Amino acid sequence: MTSAPSPARGATWAPCAGILLALGAIVMVQPVFANIASTFGLPVVSVRVSFSYCSLAYAVAFFLLGPLTDRMPVSRMAACCALGLATSVVLCGVSPSFRLFNLAMVLMGGCAAGVVSPLFPYMARIAPPGRAGAYLGLCLSATVTGIIFGRTLLGILTGLIGWRWAMIAYALPVLLAAVALFLAKSLPPLPGEKPSLSKQYAAAIGLLTMPQVVRRYAAGFLLFFAYLGTLTFLTFYLGRPPFNLSVAQIGWISLAGGGGAGSAPKAGALAHQYGVSRVVRAGVLLVLASLLVLLVFDGIVAVVVGVLALYTGVYACQPAVFYDVTTAIRPQQMGAASSLYLLSCLSGGSLGSYALGPIWQRWGWTGVMTAAGMAVLGTLVLGARGEGAPRLQRSEG
C-alpha cells in the first residue's frame, strides 16, 4: 500500500514546473516596464497595458479551454501549449515594435492558459486516493511560486543581459518543461457520455446565477485588482526616489513573496476546519496591513515585509474563497467553477494594472495604495459574508 503514492509523488514535478513557468511568463514583464518602454520610446506607465493584455488573454483562454480538458489527453495538451508558450516568449523578445510585442503577449497569455488548465485536472487524477485536495494545493502553490519566479528571474537577467535576451533565455526552461510533459504519464480522456461543448459552456455560465458563487467570484476579482495592480505599480515606485532601485534589485525584492507559497496549500484546509469567513478575514487584514506598511514606511526592510505580507495574505484568501465555491456546486462542475474563478481573478488583476494608471499619474503611490485598500475592503465584505462555521459535513471521499 505504501508503493502507490510514490510514483504519483514523483510525477508531480513536471506539472508543477509547467504551472510555475506559465504563471511566471504572465507577470515577468512587470519588473522590466522601464526597460521595455525605453526600447520602444514610450512613457513607462504606457507599458502596463502589456501585462493587462496578457493576463486577460490568459483568463479568457482558461475559461474557453476548460471544457476541452475532459475530451483530450491532458498531459499532451499541456505539452503542446508549452511549446507555444516558449515560442511566444521568444517572439516577445525579438519583436521590432510595441504593437507586435503586445500581440506576442496576447499569444503568451493564451498559451499559458493552455498549459495550466489541463494540469489542474491532471494532478487531481494522478493523486493517490484521498490526496486530491493536497495535490491541487500543490498546483496553487506552483502558481504563487511562479509569480515570484517570473518577476525575480526576469529582473535579474535583465540587469545582466537586457530584457530581450532575458525573455529568450526564459524560453529554455519552458522548452524543458514541454519535453517533460510529453514524457509524463499520459492519461486518456475521461470515459463516458459527454455533453456538447455548447451545453458545457451554458452550464458554466449557469454558475453565475448562484448568489454565493457570484459573491465569491466578485471577492476574487477585487482581491486581484488590488494585488496585481499593486505589484504593477510597485515597479514604478521602487524605481523612483528614495529607492532608485535597478531592475535587478527589484527582481530580488520579489523573492520576499515566497511566504505566499507556504500559505496557499494550508488555506483550504483551514477554511474547512475553521470556516471560510475567519480565514478570509485574517487574510484580508494581513493584506491591508501590507498596504499600510508599503504606504507609510520608506525603507527597504519595510518594502520586503510589506511584499511578504501581501503575498501571504492574498494566498490565504484565494484558496479559502474558492473552497467556499466548491461547497455550493456539484463535483461535475468543478472544472467550470475553477475556470470562472480564475477568469474573475485574472480579469481583476488585468483591470487593476490598467485602471490604476491614471490614479498613479495624478496621486502617485498614495492614490494607488488607497484604491487598492478600498478594493481589498470589498473582498472582506464579499468574501467573508456567509456562514462562519466550518462545513464539516462535506468531507472528501
Side-chain angles (χ1 to χ4, degrees), residues 15-200:
C16 286
I19 293 171
L20 183 152
L21 291 167
L23 268 294
I26 292 171
V27 302
M28 66 183 179
V29 296
Q30 288 184 324
V32 297
F33 281 149
N35 304 73
I36 296 171
S38 176
T39 298
F40 294 119
L42 297 170
V44 176
V45 73
S46 299
V47 182
R48 76 190 191 283
V49 299
S50 301
F51 168 72
S52 296
Y53 293 150
C54 183
S55 58
L56 187 58
Y58 173 89
V60 173
F62 200 103
F63 171 70
L64 294 176
L65 293 172
L68 298 179
T69 59
D70 65 352
R71 298 168 179 265
M72 299 177 64
V74 284
S75 61
R76 299 296 182 265
M77 177 180 174
C80 290
C81 290
L83 290 177
L85 178 61
T87 301
S88 65
V89 171
V90 172
L91 289 176
C92 283
V94 301
S95 293
S97 70
F98 189 57
R99 180 175 295 180
L100 291 176
F101 177 83
N102 283 331
L103 185 61
M105 289 293 292
V106 171
L107 178 62
M108 183 191 300
C111 291
V115 174
V116 177
S117 60
L119 291 180
F120 270 73
Y122 180 84
M123 287 284 280
R125 289 178 64 186
I126 68 170
R131 297 284 293 165
Y135 274 51
L136 290 176
L138 287 175
C139 294
L140 286 171
S141 184
T143 65
V144 184
T145 309
I147 291 174
I148 300 166
F149 178 80
R151 287 175 56 85
T152 302
L153 183 65
L154 254 291
I156 294 171
L157 286 179
T158 296
L160 296 173
I161 58 177
W163 73 269
R164 289 190 182 277
W165 281 108
M167 283 194 160
I168 294 170
Y170 192 90
L172 295 178
V174 178
L175 283 174
L176 292 176
V179 172
L181 288 168
F182 272 118
L183 297 176
K185 179 182 179 182
S186 179
L187 301 179
L190 291 170
E193 292 286 332
K194 298 180 179 65
S196 65
L197 279 175
S198 61
K199 288 183 178 179
Q200 283 187 281

Side-chain angles (χ1 to χ4, degrees), residues 272 391-397:
H272 182 79
R391 303 179 184 183
L392 297 178
Q393 73 272 19
R394 178 153 176 163
S395 58
E396 286 188 46

